[in-house]
Amino acid sequence: MSQGFERLTVDVLSDGEFRLDGGAMFGMVPRERWEQFCPPDERHRIRLATHGLLVRGPGFVLVLEPGIGGTVDRDAFALTKEPSLEASLSGFGVAPKDVTHVLYTHLHFDHAGGGDRFPGARHLVQDLEWRTAQRPSVLHSRSYREEDRLPEARVTLLSGETEPLPGVRVRPTGGHSAGHQVVILEDAALFWGDLFPTRHHLSPARVMAYDLDPLVVAERKAGLLRESAERGWLNYLYHELDPRPFRLDADRGRYSIAD
Ligand SMILES: [Zn+2]
């Protein structure tokens, strides 16, 4: 369902499902707990979505988070590509060549690998994230894949909190990766990237083993939960299987999802 925010029209895209190790997705949460709400398969993996956004505004067609690249090991990640991002876009009457901009919360393969499907677009990347992806640490060399490198000539680097397109604001958070950022649409919606990947990660303490700095994730998530609840923003989660955005209810410093 389309959402209209002042100058923007926002739709949820999908590049299909994939699976990651449930223990890695839930960090310190014991399996006894997480397997109740995310039952793992026989290889201990849980289902995850790739719900990027199509954001249409004055003079631009933006894909926020273009999904997984075509060269990953489909079996290892149980990648479905159903629907593919191209099919998902076509459902909204948009062809890859119509996309003018692609925006990334960060450059890990499950968010950025699909960027090469938009050869005519400008790719908007936070400067620190770009530099981190050029020389990944030993911990993250599997997340920043050589095959997913964006063509430098088509990349526009963003510096800190800024509004690269009318109504589309990025805010660096770090935490999950050095240059991770969230995206605020008008003063109406928040796309969380990997700071808040699924509904089951609502608590600030629910961090992932993949997070570079879990304490930063917990603190930035707590701050953004407060801001989102106060401002009545709609929240969009990339890895959540349920594509519907939601608002937050606040009760004495604790948050819940208002369906
Ligand atoms: Zn991710």
Side-chain angles (χ1 to χ4, degrees):
M1 186 180 67
S2 286
Q3 295 284 342
F5 306 124
E6 261 176 84
R7 295 163 287 184
L8 307 179
T9 304
V10 177
D11 292 287
V12 177
L13 298 170
S14 174
D15 197 27
E17 279 188 24
F18 72 117
R19 298 182 190 185
L20 290 175
D21 184 84
M25 282 303 292
F26 285 102
M28 290 180 293
V29 179
R31 173 166 175 157
E32 204 174 24
R33 295 270 296 282
W34 63 252
E35 72 180 3
Q36 289 170 20
F37 42 80
C38 286
D41 68 11
E42 70 286 354
R43 292 167 69 179
H44 316 288
R45 303 171 301 185
I46 61 167
R47 291 170 58 202
L48 297 167
T50 53
H51 283 139
L53 298 183
L54 169 66
V55 181
R56 286 175 278 191
F60 67 87
V61 177
L62 168 74
V63 169
L64 169 50
E65 226 78 315
I68 296 178
T71 60
V72 300
D73 181 342
R74 292 180 82 121
D75 175 59
F77 296 105
L79 184 62
T80 68
K81 290 277 180 187
E82 285 166 18
S84 68
L85 194 66
E86 291 89 335
S88 182
L89 277 167
S90 124
F92 298 109
V94 173
K97 65 173 174 38
D98 302 329
V99 174
T100 59
H101 296 81
V102 183
L103 174 60
Y104 304 81
T105 60
H106 62 301
L107 295 177
H108 287 171
F109 78 94
D110 55 320
H111 296 248
D116 62 355
R117 286 176 280 193
F118 307 101
R122 282 313 296 174
H123 298 270
L124 310 176
V125 182
Q126 186 65 224
D127 182 33
L128 177 58
E129 186 66 10
W130 174 258
R131 284 185 280 123
T132 304
Q134 302 301 305
R135 258 174 308 183
S137 70
V138 286
L139 274 183
H140 297 104
S141 55
R142 289 185 68 222
S143 299
Y144 296 109
R145 300 170 75 247
E146 190 77 39
E147 302 90 315
D148 295 340
R149 286 270 168 92
L150 294 167
E152 196 164 357
R154 301 215 59 86
V155 171
T156 298
L157 294 178
L158 309 176
S159 180
E161 179 156 353
T162 181
E163 191 172 322
L165 294 165
V168 179
R169 170 166 292 273
V170 299
R171 182 185 293 174
T173 64
H176 177 68
S177 68
H180 184 278
Q181 61 188 359
V182 295
V183 182
I184 299 163
L185 301 169
E186 298 286 4
D187 185 11
L190 175 58
F191 183 82
W192 285 83
D194 268 353
L195 216 57
F196 182 177
T198 78
R199 289 172 173 237
H200 306 294
H201 293 82
L202 170 66
S203 161
R206 289 255 171 110
V207 294
M208 297 187 277
Y210 301 112
D211 292 332
L212 175 68
D213 191 334
L215 192 56
V216 171
V217 170
E219 287 174 351
R220 299 305 300 259
K221 196 200 292 183
L224 280 163
L225 286 170
R226 187 182 321 119
E227 189 173 353
S228 180
E230 278 171 13
R231 303 194 79 82
W233 287 341
L234 265 185
N235 298 276
Y236 289 91
L237 308 185
Y238 181 68
H239 289 307
E240 168 57 45
L241 295 170
D242 182 342
R244 293 170 301 170
F246 56 84
R247 291 193 169 80
L248 293 166
D249 281 334
D251 180 25
R252 286 161 293 180
R254 289 182 66 88
Y255 300 95
S256 57
I257 289 167
D259 274 309

